[in-house]
């Protein structure tokens, strides 16, 4: 919210509400309804955070710009002294529909966890392929170059 109560153009009052003890997107909702958020808090503990309205998006040639998440495997061996091991390979999961700030109940637009959803494609790629594609999509565009076949606006900001 800007001084005087105004809002930034294009921004919504969107929030993501997650059960504190669940995984795989179960019980997670995206909403602009603050009354619903307050009511949900009475059902069980929740984590509520501002929904990222301008996420970095990945261009999938088959459908357009989509949300994605990066998955790392990390092992904490001890806390005192701190010893952490990280697997050097990561992988990515993708939403199946182009991102936009509407239709918050459209799971395949706002979430990337498709391996637990019936009839949904699970799109994943490894780290090497992602880095190559990401560099083609964004670094070339941001550096002033133009990559053939990609949109003019990378949709990052």
């Amino acid at each position: 919210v800007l001084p005087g109560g105004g809002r930034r153009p294009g921004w919504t009052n969107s929030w993501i509400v997650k059960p504190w003890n669940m995984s795989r997107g179960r019980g997670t909702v995206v909403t602009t309804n603050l009354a619903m958020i307050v009511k949900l808090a009475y059902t069980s503990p929740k984590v509520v955070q501002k929904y990222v309205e301008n996420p970095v998006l990945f261009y999938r040639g088959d459908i357009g710009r989509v949300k994605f998440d990066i998955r790392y495997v990390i092992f904490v061996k001890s806390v005192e002294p701190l010893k952490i091991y990280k697997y050097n390979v990561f992988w990515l999961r993708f939403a199946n529909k182009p991102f936009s700030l509407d239709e918050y109940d459209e799971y395949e637009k706002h979430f990337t966890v498709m391996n637990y959803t019936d009839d949904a494609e699970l799109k994943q790629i490894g780290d090497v392929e992602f880095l190559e594609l990401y560099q083609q999509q964004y670094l070339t565009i941001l550096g002033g170059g133009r990559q053939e076949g990609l949109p003019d606006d990378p949709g990052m900001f």
Side-chain angles (χ1 to χ4, degrees), residues 16-76:
I16 187 164
V17 183
K18 305 174 185 182
W20 70 275
N21 61 348
M22 302 288 274
S23 62
R24 304 186 327 211
R26 293 177 293 179
T28 301
V29 296
V30 178
T31 184
T32 58
N33 185 335
L34 296 179
M36 182 179 95
I37 293 171
V38 171
K39 287 180 184 177
L40 284 172
Y42 290 109
T43 62
S44 66
K46 303 284 189 266
V47 174
V48 179
Q49 63 193 77
K50 187 72 175 101
Y51 188 61
V52 177
E53 297 175 341
N54 60 341
V56 174
L57 301 172
F58 186 84
Y59 183 75
R60 285 181 56 181
D62 55 338
I63 59 175
R65 289 185 284 278
V66 299
K67 290 179 68 175
F68 66 96
D69 69 32
I70 301 172
R71 309 304 281 185
Y72 279 97
V73 176
I74 296 175
F75 174 71
V76 179

Side-chain angles (χ1 to χ4, degrees), residues 136-149:
Q136 289 173 6
Q137 290 182 23
Y138 292 111
L139 300 181
T140 301
I141 292 170
L142 293 175
R146 178 73 178 96
Q147 186 70 28
E148 191 63 35

Side-chain angles (χ1 to χ4, degrees), residues 1-7:
V1 177
L2 300 172
R7 297 198 181 279

